[in-house]
Amino acid sequence: MTRLLLLLILFPVFGFSQHNDHFKCATDEMHQQIYLTHPELIPGVLRAYEQLKQETNQFINSSTRSQDTYIIPVVFHVIHNYGPENISDAQIRDGVHYANLQLRKLNPDTTDIVAAFEGIAADAGIELRLAQLDPDGNCTSGITRHVSSLTYIGDHQVKSIVQWPPDKYLNVYVCNQAAGLAGHALLPHAADTIPQWDGIVMQHAYVGTIGTSDFFRRTVLTHEIGHYLNLQHIWGGNNVPNYFYLPVANAGNCDYDDEVADTPNTIGWQSCNLSGISCGDLDNVQNYMDYAYCARMFTVGQRDRMHACLNSSVAGRNNLWSPTNLIATGTDDVTFYLCGAKFDADKRVVCAGESITLTDVSYHGITERTWNIPGATLSSTTDSLITVTFPQAGSYTISLTVGNGTDQLSVTEENYIVVLPQQGIQNFVIEDFESPSNFDYQWIVYPQEGAINWELGNPGKIHPNL
Ligand SMILES: [Zn+2]
C-alpha cells in the first residue's frame, strides 16, 4: 500500500519533467456534460455525426478533392473582468500566427519529427485570418472585448454573451478559465445541433507565446482547431453520445479508434516519450491531438478528415471558406480595410532608464508607419515592434501614424507611459492627493474603462480630527 501511494505521488512530478504544465483539453468533458444534461439533443447530434461520417468517407475516397488551402475567418471575443485574461491584441495576433505556422507545417520544429512519421506529416492546408469586417459589414480588428464574470467559468455560457454567425466565423473565446482546463471546442456534429454553442474557448494563458502565455503552450489553439474541424483525440473518440468517457493514458483506449486510418492506435500520452508503444505500434506522440506537449504534426489522414469537414454542410463549415463569405468577412486577401490605428505596450510604468516594447496592432494592410515619442529613445521609428527607452522621470505621450499606401490614420495617447525616478518610490506611500501634477504621473486609474471610476476633484474638506 505504501509503495502504491508513493508511485501515485511521484508520477506527476517525474512523469513530466520538461515543464510543470499538463495539456488538458476539456472538449471530452464538455461533450459528456452536454449529453448528460440535455439528452433531448442526442438524436440531432447522432444524425449530424452519421452524416459527417458518411461525407468524410466519400470525400476521402474521392479523387477530385481539392488540395487548396482553406481560409477560415476568425474572431476572438475576450471575455474579461479587467484581470490578466484581458490579453492584448498583440498576444492574440501572436496566437493566430503560431496556429497558422503549425497548420501550414511551417513551424521549424518539424525537423524533430521522428523518422517513422516524417512521411505522413502534413501541411493541413488551413489558414486562420482575423476578420476585417463584422457581421454588419463594419470594419473590425477581429477582436472584441466584453466584461463579464462568466470569464471565471469559461464553459458554454460565455457564448451567450456574444457570438458572430458560426457558419461565417470561427468564434474563439478568451477567458480567465476554460472550464478549468486549457481549452475546449465543440465538435461539428454537436455544433450542428447546438449552433449557439459553436466555437472554441481558450484559457488566456494558452493563447500564443507572449503576454500571459509562453512558447511551451503554443500548440493548444491548434489542437482545439483540430476538434473544431472534427478531429478527435488521437487515442480515440468519446465525444459521441453513448461512448464512454476515456481519460488519456487509459489502457482500455486501445479498444477505441480516432477514425483516422494513418494514426497508430494509442492510449494517449502526457509525457513526450518518442519511443512509446502503447497498443502494439510506435505511437505518434508528436501529434497535435495527443496530450504529450511536444506536438509538431497532423497526419495526412487528419488533414483529409478536416478538409472533409470543411466540405460538409454540418455546422455550416462549408460556408466558412466560400468566396462569398471571405468577401463578406474581409478575409479574401484582396481588400485591406484601413480602419484602426492602435498600439500595445508590454509595460506602462517603468523607472527612468528602463525600456518598454511597443507593438503596432493597427488594422488592416499596414504598409507604412511612423512612431513619435518626444523625449524617448526609439530603436526604430518605422518598425512594427520597437524598444523605447525613457531617460528621465515623467509622463510620455505616444503617437503612431499608419498608412496603406493610399490613406493614413493616427492615434495619440497622452501621458501613456509613466516613468518614475530611478530610485523608485519608497516601500510605503503617503499620498495626500493635494498635488495634481504628482497624481497625474505617479498614479494610474485602473480599470480605466470601468463603469466605476476615479477622477481628481476639489469638493472635500479637511477632517476635523486630522
Ligand atoms: Zn482536446
Side-chain angles (χ1 to χ4, degrees), residues 23-28 183 223-224 227 232-233 235 289 291:
F23 192 140
K24 279 291 187 182
C25 161
T27 293
D28 295 341
H223 173 106
E224 300 305 336
H227 285 315
Q232 301 168 351
H233 287 136
W235 58 90
M289 301 315 291
Y291 271 5

Side-chain angles (χ1 to χ4, degrees), residues 116-297:
F117 298 106
E118 280 178 2
I120 58 167
D123 168 2
I126 293 163
E127 179 184 339
L128 306 181
R129 286 199 188 154
L130 283 170
Q132 294 191 58
L133 296 174
D134 72 11
D136 296 322
N138 297 318
C139 200
T140 176
S141 63
I143 299 167
T144 75
R145 296 178 189 277
H146 309 267
V147 176
S148 171
S149 58
L150 290 177
T151 190
Y152 301 120
I153 301 171
D155 64 2
H156 296 307
Q157 293 180 82
V158 298
K159 299 161 191 171
S160 66
I161 299 168
V162 58
Q163 185 196 46
W164 290 7
D167 61 337
K168 296 178 180 173
Y169 303 86
L170 160 57
N171 289 267
V172 179
Y173 298 83
V174 179
C175 295
N176 186 287
Q177 296 296 316
L181 301 174
H184 55 88
L186 209 60
L187 276 94
H189 51 260
D192 190 78
T193 310
I194 327 162
Q196 66 271 28
W197 285 356
D198 198 359
I200 294 171
V201 178
M202 296 287 296
Q203 206 266 346
H204 68 90
Y206 292 85
V207 177
T209 65
I210 61 174
T212 63
S213 185
D214 64 38
F215 189 74
F216 187 73
R217 298 169 174 168
R218 67 197 179 285
T219 61
V220 177
L221 180 56
T222 305
H223 173 106
E224 300 305 336
I225 289 165
H227 285 315
Y228 173 78
L229 297 175
N230 201 31
L231 294 188
Q232 301 168 351
H233 287 136
I234 197 167
W235 58 90
N238 40 47
N239 298 314
V240 182
N242 304 322
Y243 273 43
F244 293 106
Y245 167 57
L246 301 175
V248 62
N250 187 325
N253 294 353
C254 287
D255 296 335
Y256 293 85
D257 182 53
D258 63 352
E259 300 178 1
V260 177
D262 63 0
T263 53
N265 197 7
T266 176
I267 62 171
W269 289 86
Q270 295 183 94
S271 60
C272 194
N273 180 2
L274 298 183
S275 56
I277 297 173
S278 61
C279 299
D281 296 311
L282 181 65
D283 291 343
N284 187 200
V285 176
Q286 294 172 313
N287 195 285
Y288 288 120
M289 301 315 291
D290 209 338
Y291 271 5
Y293 249 134
C294 54
R296 279 138 175 71
M297 62 173 285

